[in-house]
Every structure is written in structure tokens, then in C-alpha cells.
Amino acid sequence: MLFGPPGAGKGTQAHLLTGELQVPHISSGDLFRHNLKEKTPLGLRASEYMSQGLLVPDEVTIDIILDKVLSLESEQGFILDGFPRNQHQGEVLEEALEIRSRPLDKVVYIDVPEPELIRRLGGRYICRECQAPHTVEPGAAAGNCQRCGKQLYQRDDDRPEAVRKRIEVYRSETLPMLDFYRQRGLLAEVDGVDTVNAVYIGVLRALGWVSKSSDRE
Ligand code: AMP
């Protein structure tokens, strides 16, 4: 599981990891955005909360994520990104994974200080098609996705008021989960203020898949 504040780069790192491991990437935010794009009742309900920077209620969120996780074969791995975001979600996930006899291997915490998060989210544009994040300098045109060529857009919840709220919600509801996973011996920390590639090496190290002297560097 990738853990960290909004804008830490969880989605980017999850994309790299799932490409390398060929396992599914389960992202609650992507699932909600996909539903919103398709204008499903779930997407429309979730967007009321997302646009304000609030968490979508647990009774909506938990079922859609657990359905995904429990639909996988028990020996199949997966990368979770954006879930759990509060203690209740964490406890329910733990119970569900016990039933599946396959607990989380690791929780990788990507740490980025708040001023850097605010800077990053303010210039973040997302691909409508593949969700790849891009950075656009103030005043510059957004352009097209460098991964798939489709149109980029700014998420409603990357506007300044929503960003402030998301960081506040992260601090009060999600950050305390660090202790939950620390107590379980699952937590590994990575400094998220570096190039995408350097952070990726940190993530692989946190997972125990590259040693300090790896030739990846
Ligand atoms: P993300 O793309 O992970 O930043 O998520 C975008 C938005 O989706 C969040 O700001 C929340 O409104 C909602 N969301 C994503 N994951 C969760 C979750 N685990 N619990 C509640 N709301 C969530």
C-alpha cells in the first residue's frame, strides 16, 4: 500500500510499480473519477465530497474498494493507493485481508512537506484518459498528455480552497493511520521530495527489492 498526503506522488509511483510487477493498481480516487466521467450515481455522489476536498463517506467507499480487492485471486498481489484514509477503513481492510489469508506486505509512506504539496497540486494537470499527472507552470497552456496524447485538465479538488481542505482532512483523519501501521511493523518511509526516479528507487528499497548498492542508480 502506498500511503501519503495528496500530491505526494502515490499515483505516479503506483503506476511504475504496477508496470514492473504486472499487478493491479487499485486507486480509490481513480475509481471515483472514472465513475464521475461515466456519470454513474456513485460518481455523482462522490463528486459532491471530492470537489470540496472532503472524504467520500465510508459506506460508499469501503464497498467499492473491498469488492475490487476481494475479486482478486488470493495469491495475486495488488498495489493499493488512496485507501485506507481513516482508522475505520484501515480496520475493515485488515479484516477483509484476513479472510483472504493475504495481509498487506508493506505500507510505504511517501513523505512530502506541506508547502511542497501546495506548490505541486496548484500546477497539477491530469490526463482525462489515462490519469497521468503533469506539471504546468503558472500561465502556461496545459497541452496534451505526454503518455497517451489525450487532453489534460485540472481537477476540481486541485483548486486552492479544496487543496487546503484536503491537507487538513489528511492531517486529522489519515495521518494518524501511520501509527496503526507502525504498530503492526508494516511501515517503511521514503523521502518524496526528489525526482520521480529517485523516489521510485526509495520505494523499491522500502519494499526490500533493491539494496543500497543497486545498479538502478
Ligand atoms: P485521490 O485521487 O486519492 O487524491 O482522491 C481524490 C478524492 O477522492 C479525495 O479527495 C476524496 O474526496 C476521495 N477519496 C479517495 N479515496 C478515498 C477514501 N479512501 N476515502 C474517502 N474518500 C476518498
Side-chain angles (χ1 to χ4, degrees), residues 55-73:
L55 293 186
V56 178
D58 282 354
E59 73 264 20
V60 178
T61 308
I62 288 175
D63 283 351
I64 64 157
I65 295 295
L66 292 192
D67 277 358
K68 285 261 168 210
V69 170
L70 297 175
S71 70
L72 302 172
E73 297 295 331

Side-chain angles (χ1 to χ4, degrees), residues 5 146 204:
Q146 284 167 18
L204 294 176

Side-chain angles (χ1 to χ4, degrees), residues 84-105:
R85 258 173 152 100
N86 62 30
Q87 176 97 11
H88 180 56
Q89 292 180 4
E91 286 166 356
V92 176
L93 175 70
E94 191 171 56
E95 280 168 31
L97 294 181
E98 267 167 29
I99 294 168
R100 196 175 168 263
S101 314
R102 176 83 193 258
L104 290 174
D105 295 315

